[in-house]
Amino acid sequence: MPVRSSQPSWLLSLLLVAITVLSVTPSLRLLVSAGTQLGLGDQSPFWQVMNAASTWRALGHSLYTATLGALVSLFLGAIFAYSITLTNIRGKHWLVFCFMLPMMIPPQITALSWLQLTGPASPLLNTLGIAPALGSPQPLYSAEGIVLLLGIQSAPLVFLAMRSSLINLPAELIEAARISGASNRRVWRDIVMPLSRSGMIAGVFMAFVSNLGNFGIPAMLGIPTSYYVLPTLIYQRMAGFGNSVLQEVASLSILIGVLALLGVAVQQRMQKGSRYALTGHSGKAHDIDLHRWRPVLEATLVLVLSIILVAPLLALIVSALVPAVGVPLTLDTITLAAFDEMINHQGSTLRAGQNSLMLAGGAALVIMACALPLAYRLRQLPERVQTSVVTLIEIPYALPGVVLAIACILLFARPLPIVNVVLYGSLWIIFLAYLARFLVLGLRPVMASLGQVDTALEEAAQLAGAGTLRRLVDILLPMLAPAVFAGGLLVFLIALNEITVSALLWSAGNETLGVLIFNLDEGGESVLASAISVLVVLFVALLMALLNMLAPKLPKGVIPWRT
């Protein structure tokens, strides 16, 4: 039974209401805009957008790239999930860490690194003497290039979903099949595949929704060849002028949101027929002995990681060390001029870095401060109400970032009532969008940890006369501090790399690092963009390593890439 405070809990309830309002209000404003436009008839901006050929062309491109990208994610994620969870290969922690890294790297950096790896201007290929002839087309400037990188970026989502299902397989079931004489292939076909289908479906649809809202990769690879998906079409429309631009992009964002929600609904429906009641011991990886095939599988996984991670990052580093794109790296051409230019001479770098650190750090700190009181108040609610509130809080994170960005523009385009302050065009609108979008990332670890805390300690403190605040600070906070910190660090890591929301909300002087990298590449300064990207990747890897160090002190599942 949850512990009921004898003191008034109106402050915690007020916090809960404020957080819920922050999460829901942007989406409600978008729905109000849609309803208003529908009431205007055939001449409304909504119907004009729906009848435009460019809308349906971008919709087709979005479905094509998101679907095929999800299939690429399934292929890569399934290979690593089955291999790492079910077999006795060595170095599992390092393999998981490296496989998760592409999801944590900003998508525009992923696209930039692959652009530096392929094509006739690749400094790495020119260094090795294997670059295509000058004038050859860049192969990644295509729908298939977008599909490939979307698949690599979202493959960890499939891996996480499938690994969760595979870890829950009862060991006795597999052992019984093997004792009965079933080969590893038979065990995989008749037991593992059917029982992991639910995780596979969840992972594929999560990858589909993620691909649908991805801006960085389609922008870097599609805009140069006028291949638009819905997020990049919205970006291009926002750059235009006219009285109906805001209504048009709102209509497009509603279309993306509907597609994302349909994807979630189809996923839930398909999963209903793929769930099985399992009994027995589970919760740890199975170690099927591969015998002589173990080195072969290990080498295969390392080779895949070398192709999808090491080679692009190496190309990015080489590109940052040469004076210009297309120049091979030699002892005569190697230079740190790009780093010197961006760090010491470009004011935009310092400004973008400060903006990103303030936005990501501020969001992380606020969410850390709210997570424990919010989780504590949620625990006191009836289970059905608690589930409903958590679902509302998850909406901004579940919807594509472009939908949230447009919703915030609609909500804050006019001055705020009473105070008469305009947030649009300032860092505050990005900050509020980050709070709404990433709150659930900081809340989940704390809720998971709080669920494991014995209520006897709190009950004893309450009987001794300790109030709600005293119990939170003196009893729960020391025990849950690692979860609070891990949640905040995860928020900081993901917010620092965010581009979809900030690409639509930024204004002159308020750019973030993601926007800076995108603008540099779009302006032809690929070497300078590579230099900043290398620094960002190093920072991301260090933060992930710090989270890895915290993992032993946290409940299972808090750190996504740790079991």
Side-chain angles (χ1 to χ4, degrees), residues 1 19 37 57 112 134 142 155 184-185 197 242-243 251 264 344 377 413 424 435 464 508 514:
M1 292 293 292
I19 292 296
Q37 292 189 52
R57 186 163 51 248
L112 179 63
L134 289 176
S142 62
N184 287 339
R185 182 180 301 176
R197 192 178 302 146
N243 295 329
S251 302
V264 174
N344 297 321
R377 186 69 184 97
Y424 181 63
L435 286 181

Side-chain angles (χ1 to χ4, degrees), residues 102 105-119 138-142 145-150 152-153 214-224 308 311-313 315-316 319 499 514 517-518 521 526 529-530 533 537:
I105 294 175
Q108 69 276 13
I109 293 182
T110 298
L112 179 63
S113 64
W114 277 84
L115 287 173
Q116 301 303 328
L117 177 64
T118 58
Q138 167 58 262
L140 292 180
Y141 285 149
S142 62
I146 296 174
V147 166
L148 174 65
L149 298 200
L150 287 178
I152 293 172
Q153 185 92 28
N214 193 298
F215 171 79
I217 290 172
M220 299 277 281
L221 304 185
I223 290 179
I308 68 175
L313 291 182
L316 191 69
S319 299
I499 186 175
I517 292 169
F518 175 69
D521 182 73
S526 297
S530 298
S533 299
V537 171

Side-chain angles (χ1 to χ4, degrees), residues 220-378:
M220 299 277 281
L221 304 185
I223 290 179
T225 56
S226 298
Y227 186 91
Y228 293 105
V229 295
L230 287 174
T232 54
L233 182 62
I234 289 175
Y235 177 79
Q236 290 298 100
R237 292 284 178 87
M238 284 291 293
F241 298 95
N243 295 329
S244 62
V245 167
L246 199 53
Q247 287 76 22
E248 290 175 3
V249 296
S251 302
L252 290 171
S253 65
I254 290 172
L255 184 57
I256 299 178
V258 169
L259 287 176
L261 294 177
L262 283 176
V264 174
V266 173
Q267 169 200 330
Q268 293 175 344
R269 185 174 182 83
M270 292 182 66
Q271 280 186 291
K272 287 182 179 179
S274 304
R275 290 172 180 165
Y276 298 88
L278 301 176
T279 59
H281 297 289
S282 60
K284 66 175 184 178
H286 304 274
D287 289 326
I288 297 175
D289 193 349
L290 297 177
H291 302 293
R292 68 179 186 276
W293 292 104
R294 186 171 75 167
V296 176
L297 181 57
E298 291 171 347
T300 301
L301 297 181
V302 171
L303 177 62
V304 172
L305 286 175
S306 299
I307 294 173
I308 68 175
L309 178 66
V310 178
L313 291 182
L314 181 61
L316 191 69
I317 294 171
V318 171
S319 299
L321 295 175
V322 295
V325 173
V327 176
L329 182 67
T330 65
L331 291 177
D332 295 326
T333 60
I334 188 170
T335 176
L336 297 176
F339 292 95
D340 177 64
E341 174 68 21
M342 293 307 299
I343 295 173
N344 297 321
H345 302 289
Q346 290 283 344
S348 58
T349 304
L350 179 60
R351 184 172 62 245
Q354 288 176 339
N355 290 340
S356 292
L357 290 174
M358 284 193 302
L359 289 169
L365 289 174
V366 171
I367 290 172
M368 287 171 65
C370 295
L372 179 55
L374 188 58
Y376 181 80
R377 186 69 184 97
L378 283 170

Side-chain angles (χ1 to χ4, degrees), residues 24-34 36 407 410-412 414:
V24 175
T25 304
S27 300
L28 289 178
R29 178 63 183 87
L30 189 61
L31 291 176
V32 169
S33 175
T36 302
L410 290 170
L411 184 62
F412 298 116
R414 296 181 178 179

